[in-house]
Amino acid sequence: MTDRENLMLKGDTQIPKYAQIKALLLSEIRSGQLAPGEKIPTEPQLCEQFGVSRITVRRAIEELVDDGYLLKKQGKGTFVRTHKIDRRVEYVMGFTESLTKAGYKPSSKVLECRLIHAEQWITEQLGDQSSEDVVYLKRLRMADNQPVMEENNYFPADRFAFLMHEDLSGSLYDLLERKHGIRPINPKTTRLGMTLADAPLAKEMKVVIGTPCFEVHTLICDQDDRPVHVGHQFYLGEFYTFSL
């Protein structure tokens, strides 16, 4: 690791000190001097090494977290991010399983779960022209307590009204199979695109407006080829890769 005590920030430049610290840390990450999974010095240590305020150091670290180079772990410190979460474009692996395989601790926060009047594109995919109501489930999905995905799923109301009375903070697919014998194992249509986080999404994901995100539309069916849900998901681009 670089001996930062011998590094001097440039005071005769228009580049802010937080940006200089960010650039120095990023250089160490890219060169391998700060290895993947390695814990970086604490904020007080960096303040002492660079001779700057805690606010300056904190901004540099937060921007590296936002850019996907560092990961904060509550009660443990800040670490160099190890790797991204890989998903196939046509997937049947649930969020919980995919994060566990990638070495993260998954968690979820239910934002909404209610009966809504569905738009036509949803009912058409679900194949139920007689019903205009669906169960809408919106969750914020997290890796090591860091939001990485906003999940919007639409379920046929006649089969899935029970979801409004279930604990949905864990693995939804596990709950469906374990308690209701429904196995969401058949992906049908899947569309993958890129978008930029608008103000509401950025607020929920704790990122700046305009952060790149993968946008995925999908239809998942069960073991009997019956529709389970239409999904409209947003994945933070800095955390994910998608493979064919």
Side-chain angles (χ1 to χ4, degrees), residues 67-151:
D67 292 344
Y69 292 101
L70 296 177
L71 175 68
K72 286 187 175 181
K73 296 185 178 182
Q74 188 172 4
K76 295 182 179 180
T78 304
F79 298 78
V80 179
R81 183 170 294 284
T82 54
H83 51 271
K84 292 193 174 187
I85 305 159
D86 183 59
R87 298 204 68 159
R88 294 187 62 82
V89 173
E90 291 188 356
Y91 69 92
V92 292
M93 184 187 297
F95 174 88
T96 300
E97 184 180 355
S98 66
L99 258 71
T100 300
K101 286 183 177 292
Y104 293 97
K105 180 181 179 181
S107 59
S108 303
K109 179 180 180 182
V110 178
L111 302 178
E112 294 185 55
C113 186
R114 58 191 175 92
L115 204 63
I116 67 168
H117 182 83
E119 297 180 38
Q120 184 177 353
W121 68 272
I122 297 173
T123 56
E124 285 179 351
Q125 288 194 69
L126 292 176
D128 185 3
Q129 301 299 315
S130 63
S131 174
E132 296 181 340
D133 291 332
V134 296
V135 175
Y136 170 52
L137 174 60
K138 181 177 184 179
R139 297 193 296 177
L140 188 64
R141 315 304 300 273
M142 291 168 282
D144 293 342
N145 295 316
Q146 168 73 36
V148 296
M149 171 188 172
E150 183 196 84
E151 175 185 81

Side-chain angles (χ1 to χ4, degrees), residues 32-62:
Q33 292 174 301
L34 277 172
E38 182 177 349
K39 183 179 179 181
I40 71 169
T42 64
E43 289 182 4
Q45 289 173 329
L46 291 173
C47 290
E48 181 179 354
Q49 291 168 1
F50 288 116
V52 296
S53 69
R54 195 158 185 168
I55 293 176
T56 300
V57 166
R58 185 169 296 164
R59 182 170 179 182
I61 292 174
E62 287 178 348

